[in-house]
Amino acid sequence: MTLVVIGPVTKDLIVIGNEKSHKVGGATYFQSFVFEKFYDDYLAIVNCDDESLVNDFPDLDKVKVIKKDNTHFFINHYPVEDNLDIRKQLSNFADISILPSDLEDILPEKIDGFVINPLNRHDFPAETIEYLKSFDVPIFISVQGFLRVPGKQDNENYAIKLDNFDELVNILSGVRAIFMDEGEASIVGCEFDVCEVVITDGSNGSRIVGDGEIKIDAMECGEVVDTTGCGDTFMAAYVSQKLLSKSSENAGNFASKIASVKITNSGPYFSNG
């Protein structure tokens, strides 16, 4: 059985204060390092035109590329060096949808579950989500990408705005868990037909809304170096434990621990040893 993790790989420009660096990114990229460590039987599926980006993944045998005519580009700007909870994002809003026909011939025969990581509203049309639901396995979805729409243009890219839309309720209906931060929750609320809503809030910790609400404290850590991909890392760590039949509280505390380790070093979780 295999956990299938789907979503774009990206070209990222990270700006912290006056320092700039170019990196590979995308939720599926960051999550693959967590699954490599804690849920080894996984397959990462990415959509892009620059296939060289997958060379930075931890195991190339566990990556498949859906070749498209563009690649997502993101600028992550942290203007306050000593407060990395504050971030401004820009994107090219690549329109490179993942369709059922893209997946039919590359999915494994036996699947444990799906982790769905849209980076904008184009990535996973409703028909693709319905196709994945037909496998009748647990589905975990990051909500953020579905809310992203272009704001003010800045040179060749656009500021990212978050906006709800009516179809989101049906897209998320019936999945195992959805993940978002407090800002996104303030836009869409928590009332969805899902088993769990996992809401993160940076250094303030997280909460898990299901039959009741579980508060998860942020773990103490050393110097915060790089928060890019922290939410993706948290999600992957949480999913890895839930699929191993751990309780939501145990999964949340584990995810908090792994995320706290990730942010003390630059890059994905793997870079921490």
Side-chain angles (χ1 to χ4, degrees):
M1 301 285 280
T2 303
L3 176 63
V4 182
V5 190
I6 313 174
V9 61
T10 70
K11 294 180 178 179
D12 286 357
L13 171 62
I14 311 298
V15 183
I16 301 177
N18 294 319
E19 295 187 7
K20 298 180 179 181
S21 59
H22 294 270
K23 297 183 179 181
V24 174
T28 299
Y29 168 73
F30 286 105
Q31 290 173 355
S32 67
F33 289 85
V34 179
F35 291 126
E36 183 72 18
K37 180 74 173 180
F38 301 109
Y39 203 93
D40 184 58
D41 190 3
Y42 74 93
L43 172 67
I45 298 176
V46 300
N47 52 324
C48 63
D49 70 340
D50 185 355
E51 297 184 62
S52 69
L53 294 174
V54 303
N55 292 333
D56 281 15
F57 278 67
D59 187 340
L60 296 186
D61 291 332
K62 297 176 184 174
V63 186
K64 292 188 177 181
V65 178
I66 299 171
K67 181 70 172 179
K68 296 291 182 175
D69 61 3
N70 203 350
T71 294
H72 283 278
F73 174 70
F74 278 84
I75 299 173
N76 293 284
H77 182 205
Y78 301 91
V80 183
E81 292 184 56
D82 58 356
N83 186 357
L84 297 185
D85 283 342
I86 300 174
R87 179 179 68 174
K88 176 184 177 181
Q89 280 192 306
L90 300 170
S91 174
N92 64 342
F93 280 89
D95 185 354
I96 49 174
S97 298
I98 298 172
L99 304 174
S101 57
D102 293 321
L103 298 169
E104 289 172 348
D105 295 331
I106 62 176
L107 291 176
E109 291 186 8
K110 296 183 178 180
I111 298 170
D112 279 335
F114 292 107
V115 177
I116 308 303
N117 297 306
L119 293 185
N120 68 39
R121 204 171 291 180
H122 299 303
D123 288 321
F124 289 90
E127 64 181 294
T128 303
I129 300 297
E130 290 305 309
Y131 170 68
L132 297 177
K133 288 179 181 178
S134 72
F135 286 81
D136 196 27
V137 298
I139 296 178
F140 305 88
I141 296 182
S142 172
V143 171
Q144 184 181 67
F146 285 118
L147 305 181
R148 284 175 170 153
V149 294
K152 183 179 179 181
Q153 188 170 11
D154 185 346
N155 294 321
E156 296 180 355
N157 298 297
Y158 296 85
I160 293 174
K161 292 174 55 179
L162 300 182
D163 191 24
N164 200 2
F165 64 112
D166 292 340
E167 197 174 8
L168 184 63
V169 172
N170 291 329
I171 287 173
L172 301 180
S173 177
V175 307
R176 176 65 60 87
I178 61 175
F179 295 76
M180 54 186 164
D181 65 25
E182 288 288 0
E184 293 145 14
S186 70
I187 295 172
V188 302
C190 300
E191 299 299 320
F192 292 95
D193 179 22
V194 300
C195 295
E196 289 185 333
V197 180
V198 183
I199 303 170
T200 59
D201 191 18
S203 58
N204 294 315
S206 58
R207 55 193 178 103
I208 303 163
V209 181
D211 293 333
E213 181 170 312
I214 301 169
K215 181 70 172 70
I216 304 295
D217 292 331
M219 295 285 182
E220 292 187 10
C221 62
E223 180 185 0
V224 175
V225 174
D226 181 8
T227 61
T228 303
C230 186
D232 307 320
T233 298
F234 182 100
M235 179 178 175
Y238 187 91
V239 170
S240 73
Q241 299 305 291
K242 289 296 288 185
L243 289 176
L244 295 174
S245 300
K246 299 298 178 73
S247 71
S248 296
E249 184 171 10
N250 285 343
N253 284 321
F254 178 80
S256 181
K257 177 182 177 180
I258 298 306
S260 72
V261 173
K262 180 261 172 288
I263 64 175
T264 60
N265 289 271
S266 180
Y269 175 76
F270 179 81
S271 66
N272 301 289

